Amino acid sequence: MPLEAGLLEILACPACHTSLREESATEESPELVCESQSCGLAYPIRDGIPVLLVDEARRPA
């Protein structure tokens, strides 16, 4: 389930405050990915709710 465009516009990476983009390899694992080249953390979306906790984020590969 995609996030509303208005919500995505106001969300920012809690680690570096850069904007986020929605991405998903599969429908079961959607993520919000930081657009910063130096940060790049990927935050999970669970049950349609973004989990914007640095401890829950996946580090870039």
Side-chain angles (χ1 to χ4, degrees):
M1 176 167 85
L3 294 175
E4 292 182 28
L7 177 62
L8 196 53
E9 287 178 14
I10 62 171
L11 293 177
C13 175
C16 69
H17 309 290
T18 303
S19 59
L20 299 166
R21 71 178 182 279
E22 193 170 6
E23 202 173 277
S24 66
T26 66
E27 194 169 312
E28 294 85 36
S29 62
E31 298 177 317
L32 291 178
V33 179
C34 177
E35 293 185 332
S36 168
Q37 293 292 333
S38 60
C39 179
L41 291 174
Y43 299 93
I45 300 174
R46 296 188 187 128
D47 298 322
I49 301 169
V51 181
L52 297 176
L53 299 171
V54 176
D55 293 340
E56 294 284 326
R58 180 178 59 79
R59 297 275 173 203

